[in-house]
Amino acid sequence: MSGSTSADPRFALDLVRMRRERHAKLQAAMAEQGLDALVLLTSGNVLYSTGVRAVLTDTARTYQQRAIGVVLVGAPFPFLFSPFPDGAPPELPADHLLPALWPETDEGVEDMGRRLKALFGGQDVRRVGYDDATAPMHLGLPALLAPAELVDCTGLLTQARLFKTPDELECMRRSWAVNEAANHAAEEVLRPGARLTDLSAAYYRRLFDEGAVCNFLDPVFQAMPVNIADGPWSTNGDVPFNLVTTDHILRDGDVVWTDTVMGYEGYASDVGRTWVVGEPSPRLAELYERWQAITDAVIDRIGPGVTGAELTKVATDLNGGTKPWLAHFFLAHGLGLEGGEPQHIGSDKGPEYDEQFVLQPGMAIVVEPVTWEDGHCGWRCEELLFVTDDGHELVSRYRNAPFQ
């Protein structure tokens, strides 16, 4: 039913099935595009193709100690080169879990070329897709893999990841529920005299108590300026939305914007809310009401066949002809294995992109309008929806009714 908020509680999440279906989607796309192999370096694509779970460690190390996925057309399983073998999924055969590659140096790339050639074996590998390349890879790998042609496969992965399987959607439901529970815990700390970092502490504790696998982004809890000029300087002159939570001591009347991104089995949730310490001003209450009206109208319009341009028009018309979102952000964005996936509605990609972006079943869309008025601050929240065959499923459960 269009607008349904009820996920089936009987749905049994099957992670092995989820990884098998993702592999089958890649195999079909490779065959269609004439690719014999994929060599994948970016974290989301490696997770999608192999199911590897990133070990919780300093994220800066992933640029030197990265997992790399390889998919061969016709092969029943992917291959995983990883310095962290304990992150591999249990069903991956032992001979498909291989020692790490080191693509950051010339010597490492030479070894990479030899080992990939050995992995290809006697197969006629003519076209190899890749989603990223280090400088040594860019300079050396084409000659090492010759006569195979190296081609960019970013579009293939973007398209495959855009449409979620039922298991992927269930992971996202669970991810969003865990994140909302952690946000509730943080909101309970909101009072004059509390520090914003106290909200972070409450958020983290509840997050992992609820079964989170990892946290993608340091939780953002920011006391917003009433006027843009009162906040930090920004290059675009727009509303400054910091991504660093400080130890600011909350006072009555503070308006706090939040942005929290965490993961469940790799699938992100992106819960953003606006909280008020004490009673809001009458004008801020009006900005909330306008935000709610815009959000409800956009959500009501979401369904298969609707374009991004239609959604931006609905939002803009209800805001008196002015775009109700941050100019350097967007009205809505995709969601999946990363907090903000490439599908952006109302972004600087332009109206042509919005016109050609058509909603289809299996897509996950986060809607996040902003209503702002200098001198009174503004309102911003994020709501997650899945596009269904006959409308949409509203995944968000967090009641956004602060003035009742």
Side-chain angles (χ1 to χ4, degrees):
M1 177 182 297
S2 178
S4 171
T5 60
S6 58
D8 187 348
R10 299 167 298 176
F11 186 88
L13 177 62
D14 187 331
L15 297 176
V16 175
R17 176 179 61 198
M18 180 178 74
R19 291 188 285 265
R20 183 174 63 245
E21 291 181 349
R22 292 189 313 209
H23 185 72
K25 286 174 69 175
L26 290 179
Q27 290 285 323
M30 291 169 66
E32 181 180 344
Q33 297 190 20
L35 291 173
D36 303 300
L38 302 178
V39 178
L40 305 173
L41 275 72
T42 59
S43 58
N45 288 339
V46 176
L47 172 57
Y48 186 86
S49 62
T50 69
V52 63
R53 177 179 292 185
V55 177
L56 297 179
T57 185
D58 178 3
T59 55
R61 293 173 58 190
T62 61
Y63 292 96
Q64 295 85 29
Q65 297 179 308
R66 65 169 86 219
I68 294 176
V70 175
V71 182
L72 299 183
V73 70
F77 291 95
F79 293 86
L80 173 61
F81 295 85
S82 177
F84 306 112
D86 51 336
E91 73 275 12
L92 190 69
D95 59 353
H96 285 237
L97 178 57
L98 305 167
L101 296 170
W102 304 92
E104 302 295 336
T105 66
D106 292 337
E107 294 80 2
V109 170
E110 290 176 6
D111 176 64
M112 182 181 192
R114 287 192 296 269
R115 293 172 63 187
L116 287 176
K117 280 269 205 176
L119 188 64
F120 299 161
Q123 299 185 51
D124 183 19
V125 175
R126 293 168 293 176
R127 300 183 77 231
V128 177
Y130 69 97
D131 64 340
D132 197 10
T134 64
M137 283 177 62
H138 177 74
L139 294 172
L141 201 58
L144 293 167
L145 295 184
E149 176 190 8
L150 271 64
V151 297
D152 187 347
C153 68
T154 303
L156 182 154
L157 269 297
T158 299
Q159 185 73 4
R161 290 170 53 178
L162 178 59
F163 300 97
K164 312 299 189 293
T165 68
D167 289 297
E168 291 178 287
L169 294 177
E170 180 62 18
C171 283
M172 295 180 71
R173 289 190 194 96
R174 298 185 185 193
S175 181
W176 200 272
V178 168
N179 201 346
E180 286 192 341
N183 268 271
H184 275 295
E187 189 178 10
E188 290 174 354
V189 178
L190 195 76
R191 63 179 61 89
R195 296 178 183 272
L196 289 175
T197 46
D198 294 335
L199 276 63
S200 296
Y203 175 84
Y204 276 126
R205 178 167 184 170
R206 183 67 178 274
L207 186 73
F208 290 102
D209 283 349
E210 291 286 333
V213 173
C214 66
N215 187 61
F216 288 5
L217 175 73
D218 286 346
V220 177
F221 300 108
Q222 179 176 341
M224 298 298 293
V226 173
N227 298 286
I228 293 176
D230 296 335
W233 177 82
S234 60
T235 58
N236 49 45
D238 204 350
V239 179
F241 188 18
N242 282 357
L243 297 180
V244 177
T245 298
T246 70
D247 61 355
H248 168 83
I249 298 175
L250 291 167
R251 298 168 296 180
D252 190 65
D254 274 349
V255 179
V256 177
W257 282 12
T258 81
D259 197 7
T260 55
V261 185
M262 52 72 60
Y264 182 90
E265 295 298 338
Y267 285 88
S269 53
D270 185 9
V271 177
R273 284 293 179 263
T274 296
W275 299 332
V276 181
V277 181
E279 292 297 320
S281 69
R283 186 56 183 146
L284 182 61
E286 291 174 4
L287 290 170
Y288 158 70
E289 296 290 351
R290 177 147 49 97
W291 175 91
Q292 190 69 67
I294 292 168
T295 301
D296 288 346
V298 171
I299 288 175
D300 187 61
R301 191 72 184 87
I302 287 178
V306 175
T307 68
E310 292 176 69
L311 299 182
T312 61
K313 185 177 188 306
V314 166
T316 303
D317 287 350
L318 278 173
N319 200 48
T322 303
K323 294 178 180 178
W325 59 86
L326 300 184
H328 56 293
F329 273 58
F330 24 73
L331 172 65
H333 64 82
L335 191 68
L337 292 171
E338 289 157 304
E341 297 214 327
Q343 299 75 37
H344 297 149
I345 297 173
S347 72
D348 58 6
K349 296 176 182 177
E352 295 81 7
Y353 178 88
D354 293 333
E355 186 64 47
Q356 62 84 36
F357 183 67
V358 181
L359 298 182
Q360 299 177 56
M363 292 182 178
I365 302 294
V366 175
V367 177
E368 52 172 311
V370 175
T371 52
W372 179 276
E373 185 175 324
D374 238 31
H376 300 280
C377 199
W379 206 269
R380 170 193 177 271
C381 298
E382 295 177 283
E383 307 287 3
L384 173 64
L385 302 101
F386 298 151
V387 183
T388 63
D389 290 335
D390 58 355
H392 63 262
E393 173 192 337
L394 178 61
V395 179
S396 307
R397 298 288 197 277
Y398 204 128
R399 292 297 301 163
N400 189 35
F403 308 129
Q404 295 181 359

